[in-house]
């Protein structure tokens, strides 16, 4: 067990310390037609059509918003193909052959500092909506809706905590693009009229603190502070982050905006910088490919729409021919993939490749580990039993909808019960209950 722990620690250290490998010119990219928040969509292009970087190729339709689909390369539309989405589902993707000329759409243009200074809150709403900017830490919540808040915002919190095991893509982003982060923060503060901003990072990352502190000195008029918060999981949960950073406890289910606070993931704030400065949608992102099932773990800078299979090849493939577990996202909250034929979308942070191990589920011994570990203070065993009984009304009373699906109940279960899966199912049942 000690050897295994050391091996995992070494993998994380390797990807955190290695420079990011650029892989931004794949032969083909694949743009998801639908996603977890948008169940329907309209595709505007057909096979043979020419597109440019930033071209609108379709429109996704959610329950209360719409979202443009953008090409991330210039080239020719091949058609619609089936690929695996980050959700683990097989969905339609628009396949585009990359001509590798990187021709920009006419809508992409650089704004001068003077033009940016004149932008109003309404301008920020319009631009982020047109660019389809969403939460890039994995939430995929539309950023323009955040800019529409009627609550006065005095503080911006940037989530650079990246608290899940193995992941280091945000770490490398902050090390390599700190200027973009500072400028993105300045734009967010301008939009809300905020007076203060905090970049939240783990205490143990001295390298990040040194880099961000040094770069902050280039922006003497920007009231931003580097906040060193806890090293534990789930410190990246916004309620926990705000409590550690500002000492303010926000009740579950209450928006931070009600307390004058607005949160952004660090990758999202870089996306905001590109949208405001260049009127550019997110076409590239940092991505971690790691785990004990891959030969050479690595952080990448990739084009949105890149096939994960290509990155696995760049890492010299799998360690052996034994069964592997592929997790899109972090090991605690990510989704398992049935094949490596999956695609990197805007909100994909990582793929974790682990050696497959069989675990036999035992009966619950009511040890209480899941209750003690739940950061929301729920009763996971009672939720599990109510889910088995399909009792939606009881699940509502148990406040299952407050579950953040952090995975700690499953991780701490001495009987190896997949408690988090029952909580996910319970949330669906609670939503359907009258």
């Amino acid at each position: 067990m000690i050897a295994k722990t050391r091996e995992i620690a070494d993998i994380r250290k390797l990807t955190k310390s290695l420079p990011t490998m650029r892989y931004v010119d794949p032969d083909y990219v694949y743009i998801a037609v639908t996603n977890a928040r948008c169940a329907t969509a309209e595709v505007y292009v057909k096979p043979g059509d020419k597109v440019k970087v930033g071209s609108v190729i379709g429109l996704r339709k959610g329950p209360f918003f719409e979202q443009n689909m953008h090409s991330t390369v210039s080239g020719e539309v091949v058609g619609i193909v089936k690929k695996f989405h980050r959700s683990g589902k097989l969905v339609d993707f628009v396949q585009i052959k990359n001509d590798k000329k990187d021709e920009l759409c006419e809508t992409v243009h650089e704004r001068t500092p003077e033009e940016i200074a004149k932008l109003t809150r309404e301008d920020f709403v319009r631009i982020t909506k047109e660019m389809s900017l969403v939460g890039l830490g994995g939430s995929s919540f539309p950023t323009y809706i955040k800019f529409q808040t009627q609550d006065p915002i005095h503080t911006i919190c940037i989530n650079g905590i990246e608290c899940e095991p193995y992941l280091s893509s945000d770490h490398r982003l902050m090390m390599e693009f700190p200027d973009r982060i500072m400028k993105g923060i300045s734009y967010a503060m301008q939009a809300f009229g905020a007076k203060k901003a905090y970049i939240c990072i783990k205490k143990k990352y001295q390298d990040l603190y040194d880099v961000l502190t040094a770069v902050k000195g280039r922006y003497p008029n920007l009231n931003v502070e580097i906040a060193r918060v806890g090293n534990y999981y789930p410190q990246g949960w916004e309620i926990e982050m705000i409590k550690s950073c500002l000492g303010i406890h926000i009740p579950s289910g209450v928006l931070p905006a009600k307390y004058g606070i607005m949160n952004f993931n660090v990758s999202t704030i870089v996306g905001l910088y590109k949208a405001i400065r260049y009127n550019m949608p997110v076409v590239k992102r940092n991505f971690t490919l790691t785990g004990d099932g891959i030969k050479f773990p690595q952080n990448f800078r990739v084009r949105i729409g890149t096939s994960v299979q290509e990155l696995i090849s760049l890492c010299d493939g799998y360690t052996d021919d034994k069964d592997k577990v592929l997790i899109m996202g972090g090991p605690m909250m990510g989704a398992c993939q049935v094949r490596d034929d999956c695609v990197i979308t805007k909100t994909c942070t990582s793929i974790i490749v682990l050696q497959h191990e069989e675990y036999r589920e035992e009966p619950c011994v009511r040890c209480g580990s899941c209750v003690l570990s739940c950061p929301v203070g729920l009763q996971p065993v009672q939720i599990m039993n109510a889910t088995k009984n399909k009792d939606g009304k009881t699940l509502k009373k148990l406040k299952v909808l407050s579950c953040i699906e952090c995975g700690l109940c499953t991780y701490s279960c001495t009987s190896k019960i997949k408690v988090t899966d029952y909580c996910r199912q319970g949330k669906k049942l609670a939503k359907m209950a009258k």
Side-chain angles (χ1 to χ4, degrees), residues 64-290:
F64 56 91
F65 66 91
E66 294 181 335
Q67 189 179 80
N68 286 330
M69 296 157 48
H70 296 96
S71 174
T72 60
V73 296
S74 59
E76 181 178 327
V77 175
V78 177
I80 304 293
V81 296
K82 294 283 189 182
K83 293 279 184 179
F84 284 95
H85 187 261
R86 65 178 285 257
S87 62
K89 297 179 180 178
L90 190 65
V91 302
D92 288 337
F93 283 79
V94 178
Q95 183 181 13
I96 303 172
K97 181 176 175 58
N98 184 9
D99 63 14
K100 304 188 181 181
K101 296 179 181 178
D102 257 0
E103 290 186 64
L104 299 178
C105 180
E106 294 73 16
T107 57
V108 177
H109 61 89
E110 183 173 2
R111 294 186 178 92
T112 66
E114 293 75 21
E115 289 174 322
I116 294 172
K118 294 177 182 178
L119 295 177
T120 65
R121 176 87 72 88
E122 290 72 25
D123 291 325
F124 277 84
V125 171
R126 174 181 53 80
I127 294 167
T128 52
K129 184 176 183 180
E130 290 175 354
M131 296 300 107
S132 300
L133 185 62
V134 297
L136 300 182
S139 74
S140 72
F141 187 78
T143 303
Y144 83 88
I145 295 177
K146 288 190 171 186
F147 283 115
Q148 287 180 325
T149 182
Q150 299 301 308
D151 297 303
I153 303 298
H154 54 71
T155 303
I156 306 291
C157 284
I158 308 302
N159 191 338
I161 297 168
E162 199 170 35
C163 64
E164 285 219 45
Y166 288 99
L167 308 192
S168 55
S169 56
D170 280 353
H171 190 106
R172 294 310 309 173
L173 181 76
M174 289 183 280
M175 291 291 288
E176 294 165 5
F177 300 106
D179 276 297
R180 296 182 185 182
I181 293 167
M182 294 299 174
K183 289 171 182 174
I185 292 171
S186 71
Y187 297 161
M189 293 178 72
Q190 173 187 330
F192 290 110
K195 304 300 181 185
K196 182 77 175 180
Y198 295 86
I199 304 175
C200 300
I201 61 172
K202 288 181 178 178
K203 290 179 183 177
K204 63 182 179 180
Y205 292 140
Q206 186 66 39
D207 55 348
L208 275 183
Y209 181 79
D210 291 343
V211 167
L212 293 172
T213 300
V215 174
K216 186 183 72 168
R218 300 177 189 165
Y219 302 86
N221 297 322
L222 188 62
N223 190 12
V224 60
E225 184 176 325
I226 316 303
R228 305 179 80 169
V229 297
N231 296 322
Y232 57 87
Y233 178 84
Q235 176 66 91
W237 177 34
E238 68 175 9
I239 290 178
E240 197 69 22
M241 179 185 71
I242 292 169
K243 182 180 177 182
S244 295
C245 177
L246 304 175
I248 298 172
H249 175 69
I250 297 177
S252 180
V254 177
L255 293 174
K258 298 297 180 184
Y259 288 75
I261 303 164
M262 188 58 68
N263 299 327
F264 293 97
N265 174 267
V266 68
S267 294
T268 309
I269 213 70
V270 171
L272 179 65
Y273 160 73
K274 297 288 283 188
I276 300 302
R277 183 69 182 273
Y278 300 104
N279 213 52
M280 173 78 82
V282 176
V283 298
K284 302 170 190 173
R285 73 155 298 140
N286 279 39
F287 184 84
T288 299
L289 178 56
T290 188

Side-chain angles (χ1 to χ4, degrees), residues 335-361:
C336 283
Q337 302 291 318
V338 296
R339 295 210 312 258
D340 58 12
D341 185 22
C342 48
V343 175
I344 298 170
T345 61
K346 282 192 288 190
T347 53
C348 290
T349 59
S350 57
I351 277 275
I352 314 298
V353 183
L354 302 175
Q355 299 285 10
H356 178 73
E357 294 184 32
E358 290 289 345
Y359 291 99
R360 188 161 63 96
E361 186 175 300

